[in-house]
Each structure stands twice: as C-alpha cells, then as structure tokens.
C-alpha cells in the first residue's frame, strides 16, 4: 500500500505499530488478520535494500506460516545442510571443536534452521500488510513524542519528506514499538536497558558467488586468534563472511572494500568469482530492556533485546515477540480476556530471550578469543568434550517461557514449544496448521479431547479460536509420519493444549480436559483490581472510542 497522509489516519485505530521492519510488519499482519485496525509508522521512506539478518529457525517459519506467508514464499528460505550438523566450530588450524545440529527436522514442521535474504522477506511482508484493508503504512514519518492516558496512546509524528510538515497526532488504544535497537519510543518513554558488557566489532560482508561452490557446513565459526571469522550460507544464491576487528585495526580501515576482499581471499573469494553486495562494521553486543511494557506501550524485537548473532536468533526472537503479544492484544480487543494478561508478555518473553542471549554471548566469548595461550587452552578443552559421544553434536537452545505466564500450574511441559507435523484429512496431506488450524489447539492422540467437556465450555473454547482434533494412525485425521505419536509417548500424555504462539499451555493424560480448559479460562478472565474494586475490561474498540 502506498503511504497515506497522516491526516487520513486521524480517526482512532486499534493499534499503532512503530517500525516497518519484519517484526513491525508481522505484528500489523497478525492483528490485521483478526480485523483490528492498525497503522504502521516508519521513519524511512523506503525499505532498507541491504541484507541484515540471514538465518531463521523452524519456530519463526511456523509463525510466518500463521501469517499466511509460507503458502507462496517457502522458497525464500534455504534449509541448513552440510556435515556434522551443519554448524561447525573450528580452530585456527581448521580442526573441529564443536558441532551444533542445525540440520535436524524442527519441532514446528519446518527445517530447524534456514538461510534467507532479508530484503526479499521484508518485501513480501509489506505486500501482505499493504494488501489488507485493516492496515495502513505511513512511510517517511518520524515519531517525536508519545503520551498515554486511560483511554489510549497519542503518537506525534513529523513527515520527513515535507519540509513544511507540522507535527501531527495519531491516536490508538495501544502502541507496539518495533523500531529497532535505537528505539525512539523506548527513549521517549524512558525505558532503560541492561547490558551484558559483551561487545565486539565485526565486519559483515555479503556477496553473491558467481561460481557455484559447495561449502562443507551451513555455518562455520573459525576460532582463530589471528583472525576470528564466520562463514554463512545467507539464503538462496548468497553467502556471508564476518570478521572480528582486531585492536590493531581501526573501524575505518576495516570498513573498506579492499579489506573485505583481503579477508575473504584465504577462502578463494575474489572479485573474479564473486560480487560484493555490502560491507559494514557492526558492534555485536547483548542488551535487553528492563521492562517490556509501560502502560499501553509495548516493546518488541530489537527495541526490547539485542544479542550477538552467533546463534542466528536475533530476528527469530523478534518474531516470537510479535506472535506472543498479538494474541494477547487480540483477545483483550475482543473482550475475551482481561487486560492483565498483557502483563505476562514481558516476563514470559524476557526470561526466554535472556537464555538465548546468554548462550549467544557464551559462544561469542569462545569465538572472539584473541589470546593465543587462552585459545590453545580452549581448543584442548573443547577437543576433549568433542570426544565424548554425548557432547559431539550440541542441540540449539530451546528455553521455556518465563513467569508469570499464561500456562497451567505444575505441568512439566507447560511453557515449552509444541510441535507441528504432517497430517492427512479427507485425502489431503499437509501441515496441521494449514489443514486444521486454530489459534488454541487441543489435540488428542487416539482420543477425542472434547469427549467429556460440557457444551458451555466447548462453546467458550470455540469463541477464543480453539480447535480440537483427534489424531490417530488410521482415523479421520491421520498422523502421517508418526510425529505426534512419538511426541505424546515421549511426553507421557495423551492430550496437549497449545497457545496461539505454539507454546504449551498444558497437557493431560486423558482424564480431566475440563479442568485444563477451566484453568485456561480462569487465567484469561483474570481481572486487575483498581481502587480496591475488581473490574472487567471492555474491548479495545470501545476503549479507543471513549
């Protein structure tokens, strides 16, 4: 959709989203698909044309699937392949120190890790968002002030493309700040960040190979104290190198084309066989917002957290934010949940992403070691670990949600990621979300999960977007590959209830599903107490018009 004048959006909308990167656009799409009116505000007049993030995991692809992106655009993503799990860590002599299994099938029905070209993904997301009647995109508008009151949020913007532009106010019930690491909104509302104190400058070089060449691994980290480096498959037809800045090299010296070619030369990447697309020096660091919500304003993506890229999880974490926040916002908008559920967004996501940040930093400290003696000690330690069969290939991190959380009490599986497998329904074979769907998924293995659920509770579950399914090896919904049967056996249950962001609310051995649904309803209906009086909450539409 072409940018519209700010005056055209003066009628209050349900949500304002600041930032039109992947996280902001996905937020708008997920809310717009539910009929919520969304205005996206972006300070830059056009999409950024250069690559940034270049890896994405199975969970993020399932989130994109839920936004309707994967039907026609699965070819944007190149699954990890290569030897020893696809992700290899080697020392300066090329000796393998550790392998991480990025090649395995992901729990979400997609390849565990994939390379992609971010400009292509952003173009698709903007086309999807711009084609929705509920979403409008304002490009070239910079936020200069934000205020909030009991009824909504007012965002003051200025049109950068018009020198005569005067500040204009946009009004919505709530605002999502997805405006990046240097978030204007985070600064305006005074949210502070915590710092891990990990920091390293790296040159990122993106290029297109002119000669097809097979790489042994999808990602290789070269822990060479002389010159730490990373080689990455960064999407179909593209490759990336990253080189750490040494103390004897200035940022200006490193950020030159000749430096990029010199550093890639040992891998026989030259102007004769490659086209240099971009080179830029980035500071890799770990940071997170101390709070993710202030009243009606929420942070998401890089505005809420930053991490070194060594695990390829930066964008994935932002897309998780978008999905975790939007289902909450939509339920409150529909009057199907008390607004106190919004207060669980930050604790859940912050604790989850902190685990990944910490692991990325730990890996970064391994890779960024420049002292030859300490590097040799590191190599010896990791080689000893590699000889242990149990530690030979390390799995990617899969943390559970933080608390307080919208999950069942005393359930060891609650707050962990659920699965998606292939099923067959009426002769059609595909992924569960595509053929059965549902925001809230209640799945039974060889048992009808709603068999003993009262009608009134069934109707409530349907109103919140719930879907139930009985899976079996030969029934109406067939577990094609045995994915679900294996999962249920491993988890010692027969029924699982998953949330719209695909995290498990709770499981059951097949005896008390009504209790599981009643526990969910109680948490969604929880109300805040204002002035000593328990109050319920009106839908967002009413709040926005009050």
């Amino acid at each position: 959709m072409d940018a519209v004048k700010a005056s055209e959006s003066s009628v209050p909308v349900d949500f304002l989203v600041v930032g039109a990167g992947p996280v902001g656009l996905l937020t708008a799409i997920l809310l717009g698909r539910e009929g919520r009116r969304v205005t996206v505000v972006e300070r830059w007049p056009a999409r950024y044309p250069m690559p940034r993030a270049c890896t994405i995991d199975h969970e993020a692809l399932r989130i994109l699937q839920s936004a309707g992106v994967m039907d026609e655009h699965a070819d944007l993503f190149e699954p990890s392949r290569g030897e020893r799990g696809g992700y290899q860590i080697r020392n300066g002599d090329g000796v393998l120190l550790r392998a991480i299994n990025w090649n395995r099938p992901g729990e979400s029905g997609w390849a565990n890790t994939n390379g992609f070209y971010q400009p292509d993904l952003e173009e698709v997301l903007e086309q999807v968002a711009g084609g929705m009647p509920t979403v409008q995109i304002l490009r070239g508008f910079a936020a200069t002030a934000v205020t909030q009151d009991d009824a909504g949020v007012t965002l003051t913007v200025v049109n950068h493309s018009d020198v005569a532009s005067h500040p204009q106010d946009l009004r919505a019930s709530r605002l999502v700040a997805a405006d990046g690491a240097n978030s204007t909104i985070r600064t305006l509302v005074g949210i502070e960040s915590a710092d891990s104190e990990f920091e390293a400058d790296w040159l990122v070089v993106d290029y297109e190979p002119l000669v097809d060449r097979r790489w042994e691994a999808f990602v290789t980290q070269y822990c060479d104290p002389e010159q730490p480096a990373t080689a990455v498959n960064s999407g179909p037809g593209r490759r990336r190198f990253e080189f750490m800045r040494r103390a004897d090299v200035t940022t200006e010296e490193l950020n030159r084309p000749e430096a990029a070619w010199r550093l890639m030369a040992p891998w026989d990447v030259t102007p004769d066989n490659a086209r240099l697309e971009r080179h830029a020096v980035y500071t890799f660091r770990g940071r997170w917002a101390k709070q993710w919500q202030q009243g009606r304003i929420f942070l998401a993506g890089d505005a809420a957290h930053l991490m070194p890229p060594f695990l390829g999880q930066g964008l994935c974490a932002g897309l998780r934010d978008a999905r975790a926040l939007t289902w909450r916002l939509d339920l409150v908008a529909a009057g199907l949940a008390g607004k106190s559920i919004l207060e669980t967004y930050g604790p859940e996501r912050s604790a989850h992403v902190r685990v990944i940040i910490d692991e990325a930093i730990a890996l970064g400290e391994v890779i960024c070691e420049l002292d030859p003696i300490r590097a040799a000690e590191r190599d010896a330690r990791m080689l000893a670990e590699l000889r242990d069969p149990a530690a030979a290939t390390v799995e990617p991190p899969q943390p559970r949600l933080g608390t307080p959380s919208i999950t069942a009490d005393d359930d060891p599986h609650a707050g962990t990621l659920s699965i998606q497998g292939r099923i067959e329904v009426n002769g059609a074979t595909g992924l569960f979300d595509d053929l059965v769907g549902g925001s809230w998924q209640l799945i039974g293995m060889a048992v009808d999960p709603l068999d003993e659920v009262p009608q009134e509770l069934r109707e409530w579950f349907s109103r919140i977007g719930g879907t139930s399914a009985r899976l079996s090896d030969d029934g109406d919904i067939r577990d094609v590959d045995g994915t679900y049967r294996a999962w249920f056996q491993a988890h010692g249950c027969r029924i699982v209830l998953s949330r719209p962001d695909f995290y498990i609310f709770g499981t059951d051995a097949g005896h008390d599903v009504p209790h599981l649904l009643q526990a969910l309803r109680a948490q969604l209906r929880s109300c805040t107490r204002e002035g000593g009086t328990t109050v319920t909450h009106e839908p967002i539409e009413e709040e926005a018009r009050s």
Side-chain angles (χ1 to χ4, degrees):
M1 177 182 292
D2 294 332
V4 297
K5 295 180 180 179
S7 59
E8 295 174 7
S9 62
S10 57
V11 175
V13 295
D14 298 318
F15 301 102
L16 286 167
V17 176
V18 181
V23 176
L25 290 170
L26 177 66
T27 298
I29 291 167
L30 292 172
L31 291 170
R33 284 168 67 92
E34 300 300 328
R36 309 301 167 199
R37 299 162 299 162
V38 185
T39 295
V40 181
V41 179
E42 169 57 56
R43 67 187 300 251
W44 298 108
R47 289 189 307 274
Y48 186 68
M50 294 289 117
R52 286 168 287 176
C54 68
T55 55
I56 192 167
D57 70 8
H58 61 99
E59 182 183 351
L61 291 190
R62 188 178 184 186
I63 292 170
L64 293 176
Q65 178 190 357
S66 73
V69 170
M70 299 303 290
D71 285 346
E72 298 180 6
H73 302 290
D75 60 347
L76 294 179
F77 308 100
E78 179 183 20
S80 171
R81 55 179 60 89
E83 301 176 9
R84 299 302 296 270
Y87 189 132
Q88 301 179 8
I89 301 175
R90 297 182 176 272
N91 67 10
D93 296 325
V95 176
L96 182 71
L97 301 177
R98 182 181 297 172
I100 299 178
N101 190 7
W102 275 13
N103 292 347
R104 65 178 179 81
E107 290 80 357
S108 306
W110 300 93
N112 181 76
T113 305
N114 307 263
F116 78 107
Y117 186 62
Q118 183 167 335
D120 288 347
L121 176 59
E122 289 194 22
E123 180 181 6
V124 168
L125 290 173
E126 186 158 354
Q127 288 174 350
V128 173
M132 303 176 72
T134 50
V135 176
Q136 57 181 342
I137 301 172
L138 300 178
R139 281 199 169 273
F141 287 83
T144 60
V146 62
T147 60
Q148 55 182 315
D149 51 45
D150 290 342
V153 179
T154 300
L155 180 70
T156 303
V157 299
V158 173
N159 187 344
H160 270 332
S161 62
D162 184 358
V163 294
S165 174
H166 298 287
Q168 301 175 64
D169 289 340
L170 306 177
R171 183 76 172 162
S173 178
R174 289 182 172 85
L175 181 148
V176 179
D179 52 342
N182 299 315
S183 170
T184 298
I185 301 300
R186 188 186 64 224
T187 301
L188 288 172
V189 299
I191 294 178
E192 297 181 351
S193 294
D195 198 311
S196 68
E197 298 184 357
F198 174 90
E199 188 171 297
D201 292 337
W202 283 66
L203 172 68
V204 178
V205 185
D206 289 287
Y207 72 96
E208 292 184 73
L210 302 179
V211 177
D212 190 22
R213 182 185 304 169
R214 179 182 177 273
W215 285 13
E216 180 180 325
F218 190 77
V219 175
T220 304
Q221 300 283 3
Y222 295 96
C223 302
D224 183 353
E226 290 295 318
Q227 180 57 74
T230 304
V232 186
N233 282 268
S234 54
R238 287 183 164 82
R239 299 292 183 267
R240 170 178 292 183
F241 274 101
E242 298 170 353
F243 302 97
M244 184 179 173
R245 183 179 70 83
R246 296 180 52 87
D248 57 351
V249 178
T250 67
T251 301
E252 292 74 19
E253 291 171 334
L254 188 62
N255 195 20
R256 293 174 180 168
E258 53 267 31
W261 290 119
R262 173 177 56 81
L263 289 166
M264 291 190 295
W267 287 270
D268 191 28
V269 178
T270 70
D272 293 331
N273 58 32
R275 184 185 74 83
L276 188 64
E277 181 175 25
R278 183 195 69 145
H279 59 91
V281 176
Y282 285 88
T283 300
F284 295 169
R285 52 169 56 99
R287 288 181 178 172
W288 55 92
K290 293 184 177 180
Q291 61 187 97
W292 291 40
Q293 175 187 2
Q294 190 180 98
R296 293 173 174 269
I297 297 171
F298 302 84
L299 304 184
D302 286 355
H305 47 74
L306 286 174
M307 68 184 73
F310 304 115
L311 288 173
Q313 281 289 305
L315 177 62
C316 300
L319 300 182
R320 292 187 191 103
D321 298 343
R323 180 66 277 199
L325 179 56
T326 52
W327 72 256
R328 288 170 163 87
L329 291 173
D330 181 62
L331 283 181
V332 174
L336 295 171
K339 67 181 180 182
S340 61
I341 70 165
L342 301 174
E343 297 169 6
T344 62
Y345 161 69
E348 278 192 358
R349 291 293 309 126
S350 178
H352 186 282
V353 80
R354 279 291 308 278
V355 173
I356 299 174
I357 291 174
D358 290 347
E359 293 208 26
I361 289 172
L363 184 55
E365 290 171 342
V366 169
I367 295 165
C368 296
E369 181 57 70
L370 298 177
D371 183 272
I373 295 176
R374 289 198 294 266
E377 293 171 347
R378 172 205 63 200
D379 294 356
R381 183 180 66 255
M382 294 180 70
L383 283 170
E385 293 172 351
L386 190 63
R387 285 191 286 270
D388 178 2
T393 300
V394 181
E395 293 290 317
Q398 289 190 319
R400 66 191 308 131
L401 299 176
T403 56
S405 176
I406 305 296
T407 49
D409 296 332
D410 302 322
D411 186 324
H413 309 305
T416 61
L417 191 63
S418 66
I419 63 163
Q420 177 183 214
R422 292 196 310 145
I423 60 172
E424 180 184 324
V425 182
N426 297 325
T429 300
L431 291 170
F432 185 95
D433 294 353
D434 293 332
L435 297 185
V436 176
S439 296
W440 296 83
Q441 296 180 352
L442 184 64
I443 300 175
M445 191 67 221
V447 61
D448 182 352
L450 291 180
D451 188 40
E452 298 182 3
V453 175
Q455 184 64 28
E456 180 270 337
L457 194 54
R458 294 187 185 201
E459 293 174 355
W460 169 83
F461 186 58
S462 177
R463 284 198 301 275
I464 66 168
T467 296
S468 68
R470 176 188 183 276
L471 270 63
S472 65
D473 297 330
D474 55 6
D476 293 337
I477 305 178
R478 191 168 69 86
D479 182 16
V480 172
D481 303 310
T483 301
Y484 288 95
R485 179 169 293 281
W487 187 91
F488 279 103
Q489 289 177 346
H491 289 73
C493 61
R494 295 183 67 189
I495 290 171
V496 61
L497 173 58
S498 301
R499 312 183 330 174
D501 54 5
F502 315 120
Y503 281 82
I504 295 171
F505 175 81
T507 58
D508 189 82
H511 306 296
D512 198 1
V513 177
H515 176 77
L516 192 63
L517 292 178
Q518 287 163 355
L520 171 61
R521 180 161 63 176
Q523 291 194 33
L524 296 184
R525 284 183 171 179
S526 63
C527 300
T528 57
R529 299 183 64 86
E530 299 177 357
T533 303
T534 301
V535 297
T536 56
H537 303 290
E538 297 298 327
I540 277 180
E541 292 93 337
E542 296 305 316
E543 293 179 338
R545 294 188 179 96
S546 60

